[in-house]
Amino acid sequence: AAAGLCPCRALLARRGGALRALCGSVRGLAAGQETHFGFQTVTEAERREKIYQVFESVAKKYDLMNDSMTLGIHRVWKDILMHKMNPSPGTLLLDVAGGTGDIAFRFINYVRSVRERQLQRKLKHHQNLSWQEISESYQEDKFKSLGDSQVVVCDINKEMLKVGKQKAQHLGYSEGLSWVLGNAEELPFDDDKFDVYTIAFGIRNVTRIDLALQEAYRVLKPGGRFLCLEFSHVSNPLLSRLYDLYSFQVIPVLGEVIAGDWKSYQYLVESIRRFPPQEELKAMIEDAGFLKVDYQNLNLGIVAIHSGFKL
């Protein structure tokens, strides 16, 4: 009889061990999976909080620091992104982590210029229009300068959105523009809603990039396009050394002088070095379900634009 009980004891022991392992896993999840904040090892919850504090701290000087750090070249990179998107009137854009509005304002300007060219072509093909008809056409274009296009700026940081809204008001942007507080890993939007999803210099600050990519896929319409502009990895060894020297020796100093914040810009430099290289990010985008994924290196890989389609 005693011998017959042994397998039961062994089974109970195994179950007990499994239960303890499960409890340990649950506790580990509660504590948070380990990840990185720059070169530090932290939990995912700690990383989210630290990144929030970084952007809360730098929000007011964010645009000025972008100009200082990149010598203004970030403006060219964003223009290239917009030309690659080539939006037409009627496009519905979601710009994630775009709190200060740089991509949104470019989108509005681009669509307005397309509409203006369309109107001019229309008038050229109707030489017999009366003055009144021409005037009415221009009035219609004035009130529908975006042709039903809209851009939704979504950012997790209230301070960044606040700065963006102030810029929009100052620059006169209001039509077709809305601001939403939201997390890239859990977007507050319905499925199959947007024509284009952009994220510029934001995805490296997302704690779970895989979740953000899955959310991007979910909210895009079939046929929709994903575009990501982000600092990447330089292939040229000499340029890479010079870039490292500039990044670690100059950028934090600029952060201290201009924004009074050395630590935040030290993190931003470290976050660039920890970000996946071009081919690895391409594979992650494909894993999220996107097809026809490719990337374009700018300035020898200092930044890259990744593109993919929901087909």
Side-chain angles (χ1 to χ4, degrees):
L5 289 174
C6 287
C8 295
R9 289 197 188 99
L11 181 61
L12 288 170
R14 283 198 297 273
R15 286 180 176 173
L19 182 61
R20 284 192 296 275
L22 178 61
C23 290
S25 298
V26 170
R27 283 194 297 272
L29 287 171
Q33 298 291 327
E34 282 193 347
T35 184
H36 58 83
F37 175 78
F39 294 159
Q40 300 176 41
T41 300
V42 296
T43 66
E44 288 183 353
E46 288 172 337
R47 185 180 195 272
R48 289 186 180 96
E49 179 60 27
K50 284 177 177 290
I51 289 173
Y52 191 92
Q53 290 171 358
V54 164
F55 285 94
E56 190 173 49
S57 171
V58 304
K60 291 179 180 177
K61 298 287 186 178
Y62 183 76
D63 290 330
L64 178 59
M65 274 302 298
N66 279 347
D67 281 333
S68 301
M69 287 188 302
T70 69
L71 306 177
I73 301 173
H74 75 100
R75 297 172 182 268
V76 177
W77 296 333
K78 290 167 182 173
D79 288 340
I80 293 171
L81 175 71
M82 195 53 54
H83 283 278
K84 195 174 184 72
M85 183 196 305
N86 190 24
S88 57
T91 299
L92 183 57
L93 168 66
L94 173 63
D95 183 39
V96 175
T100 60
D102 267 9
I103 300 301
F105 304 153
R106 279 172 170 77
F107 172 80
I108 290 171
N109 291 342
Y110 195 97
V111 174
R112 280 178 178 169
S113 68
V114 172
R115 285 279 292 171
E116 179 65 24
R117 290 195 298 271
Q118 287 177 345
L119 178 64
Q120 289 174 359
R121 284 197 298 268
K122 174 184 171 183
L123 294 177
K124 282 180 182 177
H125 285 90
H126 294 82
Q127 296 291 340
N128 59 343
L129 289 178
S130 68
W131 170 83
Q132 186 176 1
E133 288 170 325
I134 292 173
S135 177
E136 287 174 355
S137 292
Y138 270 108
Q139 287 301 316
E140 182 184 353
D141 184 66
K142 179 180 177 181
F143 290 109
K144 281 194 168 184
S145 63
L146 292 179
D148 298 323
S149 293
Q150 289 188 351
V151 53
V152 178
V153 180
C154 180
D155 201 294
I156 197 171
N157 194 286
K158 292 179 181 178
E159 283 300 311
M160 293 289 281
L161 286 173
K162 181 180 176 182
V163 170
K165 289 176 183 177
Q166 290 171 345
K167 277 177 63 181
Q169 186 176 12
H170 176 70
L171 296 171
Y173 293 103
S174 58
E175 179 196 359
L177 175 63
S178 56
W179 308 83
V180 175
L181 186 68
N183 186 346
E185 300 171 35
E186 193 175 355
L187 293 170
F189 306 109
D190 294 335
D191 297 356
D192 306 328
K193 183 174 177 64
F194 297 94
D195 298 302
V196 184
Y197 172 113
T198 52
I199 183 165
F201 303 116
I203 201 165
R204 78 179 188 281
N205 298 308
V206 172
T207 299
R208 290 284 304 276
I209 295 175
D210 57 334
L211 294 183
L213 292 172
Q214 289 167 24
E215 281 291 273
Y217 188 88
R218 179 183 67 79
V219 301
L220 278 171
K221 297 175 183 177
R225 190 176 193 184
F226 168 87
L227 286 166
C228 170
L229 172 64
E230 187 54 85
F231 288 108
S232 202
H233 289 248
V234 178
S235 55
N236 182 285
L238 176 60
L239 180 60
S240 181
R241 286 195 292 273
L242 292 173
Y243 183 42
D244 277 347
L245 184 66
Y246 174 76
S247 297
F248 288 98
Q249 302 300 321
V250 177
I251 289 178
V253 175
L254 286 174
E256 180 64 31
V257 172
I258 295 173
D261 192 338
W262 178 294
K263 288 184 178 180
S264 291
Y265 285 94
Q266 180 72 25
Y267 154 72
L268 290 173
V269 170
E270 292 174 359
S271 71
I272 294 169
R273 297 304 180 274
R274 293 299 301 262
F275 190 68
Q278 291 89 323
E279 284 292 333
E280 188 176 333
L281 181 59
K282 178 185 175 186
M284 294 174 73
I285 296 168
E286 290 171 335
D287 287 344
F290 289 100
L291 299 175
K292 294 180 65 65
V293 178
D294 61 15
Y295 61 86
Q296 175 186 358
N297 283 330
L298 304 178
N299 294 94
L300 298 175
I302 290 178
V303 298
I305 299 175
H306 281 74
S307 169
F309 293 87
K310 178 178 178 177
L311 300 175

